[in-house]
Amino acid sequence: DAPVTIEPAQSGLDAGRVFHSDTFPYPNSWHEADKCFEMLQAMGLDARGRRIDTWWNPEDALRGTALERQARNGQPKLVALGLAASEVQRRWPPERYLEVIRKVAEVRHDVAFLVLGGTDVAESCRWLTDRGGKLVTYTGDQLPLGVWAAGVIPHR
């Protein structure tokens, strides 16, 4: 294929003066992993049937399952809410999460919420737990990724 573009000097990007690229029409709703597998196919590699493997160990799975059971609090549905965002200004305030939790609980009486996050959002997670009553569980800010993944990602 022929080069697509030459970057203008004022762009601040040095791509060797030429990009060799193609555009793929992947919808925003696709998970990043699915997009990556499709790109492998587009590059001529066989990505059919591939998926992301679980990375947690059996102890993580036991702890994650116990965490899930506790957070469900007898409810058949569990919604996991990750409060962190890489950019602080893009984080929702805890009041907004509480509003969503209450609105969902008004409509769905079969749901509980698990709030997740590290030390950067621990205060917001605790605030939500205090105000959410039996609807909301917080596992603490030191939960290993494998444990929470084993608790909230379907794997059975």
Side-chain angles (χ1 to χ4, degrees), residues 19-141:
F19 283 121
H20 297 275
S21 63
D22 202 350
T23 303
F24 298 101
Y26 302 146
N28 268 346
S29 60
W30 281 17
H31 188 280
E32 289 300 317
D34 294 325
K35 291 178 190 176
C36 290
F37 291 138
E38 286 293 320
M39 287 180 62
L40 289 174
Q41 283 289 136
M43 294 173 11
L45 300 172
D46 185 13
R48 289 173 295 170
R50 291 189 179 214
R51 62 181 177 77
I52 296 176
D53 286 332
T54 57
W55 64 90
W56 52 81
N57 60 40
E59 293 80 26
D60 289 343
L62 285 173
R63 191 170 164 203
T65 301
L67 175 148
E68 174 193 5
R69 193 174 309 111
Q70 173 195 356
R72 282 181 187 277
N73 198 23
Q75 300 297 339
K77 304 282 183 194
L78 179 64
V79 176
L81 299 170
L83 271 58
S86 57
E87 299 173 34
V88 174
Q89 66 272 21
R90 298 187 75 183
R91 291 182 188 159
W92 277 13
E95 296 84 3
R96 189 166 181 195
Y97 281 104
L98 185 59
E99 179 183 344
V100 169
I101 288 168
R102 286 180 174 162
K103 284 185 188 247
V104 170
E106 284 175 16
V107 177
R108 299 288 309 247
H109 302 287
D110 62 347
V111 68
F113 297 84
L114 172 62
V115 292
L116 301 163
T119 55
D120 54 339
V121 293
E123 187 177 320
S124 293
C125 291
R126 284 189 288 275
W127 185 92
L128 276 168
T129 303
D130 291 344
R131 284 155 185 83
K134 291 171 35 177
L135 284 174
V136 181
T137 300
Y138 175 49
T139 58
D141 62 352

